[in-house]
């Protein structure tokens, strides 16, 4: 269970940090509430929701493999969001 708790914390922290970074970049550039920033935030929230649903799935054959796939998805999605964030700045 500690592994699941850690994964949920990682999901929350990583995506929360990306959302916070969007606000920081927008404030620094004087472009608050930009469409591009809102798109990144919406994608981060959507990713968060999807990953939490996957973590909470109980009807999987191999739980460990499933959670590793969720972690890999988090890494892939976070990388894509950071790339979009870099374009914003």
């Amino acid at each position: 269970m500690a592994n699941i708790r850690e994964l949920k914390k990682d999901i929350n922290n990583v995506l929360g940090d990306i959302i916070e970074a969007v606000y920081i970049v927008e404030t620094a550039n004087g472009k608050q509430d930009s469409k591009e920033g809102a798109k990144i935030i919406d994608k981060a929230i959507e990713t968060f929701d999807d990953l939490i649903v996957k973590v909470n799935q109980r009807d999987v054959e191999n739980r460990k493999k499933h959670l590793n796939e969720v972690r890999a998805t988090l890494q892939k999605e976070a990388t894509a969001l950071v790339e979009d964030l870099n374009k914003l700045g």
Side-chain angles (χ1 to χ4, degrees):
M1 283 307 197
N3 193 20
I4 295 171
R5 190 174 325 135
E6 289 296 319
L7 180 56
K8 286 182 179 181
K9 283 183 183 180
D10 288 346
I11 292 169
N12 189 45
N13 291 337
V14 167
L15 296 173
D17 287 348
I18 290 171
I19 291 171
E20 185 177 345
V22 170
Y23 289 127
I24 291 169
V25 168
E26 285 184 338
T27 302
N29 293 334
K31 293 194 256 178
Q32 295 177 345
D33 300 326
S34 69
K35 290 180 183 177
E36 298 84 10
K39 191 186 270 188
I40 294 169
I41 291 170
D42 290 344
K43 180 64 178 164
I45 293 170
E46 180 183 317
T47 300
F48 175 85
D49 292 342
D50 291 344
L51 293 177
I52 292 298
V53 166
K54 288 180 180 181
V55 168
N56 290 329
Q57 270 184 318
R58 301 236 183 251
D59 59 342
V60 293
E61 221 173 279
N62 185 343
R63 184 88 168 138
K64 185 175 181 177
K65 181 180 177 190
H66 175 71
L67 294 177
N68 285 335
E69 289 171 358
V70 171
R71 189 173 298 279
T73 302
L74 171 62
Q75 187 173 8
K76 184 182 83 167
E77 293 293 329
T79 301
L81 288 169
V82 169
E83 288 173 3
D84 291 342
L85 177 64
N86 289 337
K87 293 175 189 171
L88 185 65

